[in-house]
Amino acid sequence: QVQLVESGGGSVQAGNSLKLSCTVAESDFTVNTMGWYRQAPGKEREMVALISDGRATNYADSVRGRFTISKDNDDNTAALQMDNLQPDDTALYQCMGTIFTDHWMTSWGQGTQVTVTE
């Protein structure tokens, strides 16, 4: 398992912004897709945003236009800028990455809580 280190998150009022970051701890590995999933209490985990090595992006309909994902291929770091946050965005956000060591694998970060209040 390759470690992904997450930072960011917290509690904000609706309409405000937060930024999440995720770094692959071992920079020598080849990283393809990185992104975030989230899970709210009582709900299934859902994809939030993904970005490929070629920087192609994919967003959930609920966040498109408000969230922006970016990736630095040189240091295997991804960021998720979340603007105009709404209470429905409240969830545990978990970073993921598809990483090649001696085979392709998917690794997950520890998760970070995002709470949005009215």
Side-chain angles (χ1 to χ4, degrees), residues 8-25:
S11 297
V12 296
Q13 289 187 314
N16 286 325
S17 300
L18 285 172
K19 185 175 183 178
L20 306 181
S21 296
C22 177
T23 300
V24 178

Side-chain angles (χ1 to χ4, degrees), residues 43-93:
K43 294 185 178 180
E44 293 186 356
R45 186 171 65 181
E46 63 172 348
M47 185 275 292
V48 177
L50 299 173
I51 185 167
S52 73
D53 187 51
R55 296 189 175 85
T57 58
N58 187 23
Y59 294 96
D61 289 342
S62 59
V63 307
R64 188 175 292 112
R66 299 187 296 121
F67 291 11
T68 304
I69 190 170
S70 59
K71 184 172 178 283
D72 186 331
N73 291 333
D74 290 335
D75 60 6
N76 289 333
T77 296
L80 183 67
Q81 177 66 40
M82 305 183 293
D83 296 324
N84 191 22
L85 283 160
Q86 299 300 313
D88 283 348
D89 295 317
T90 296
L92 180 69
Y93 285 69

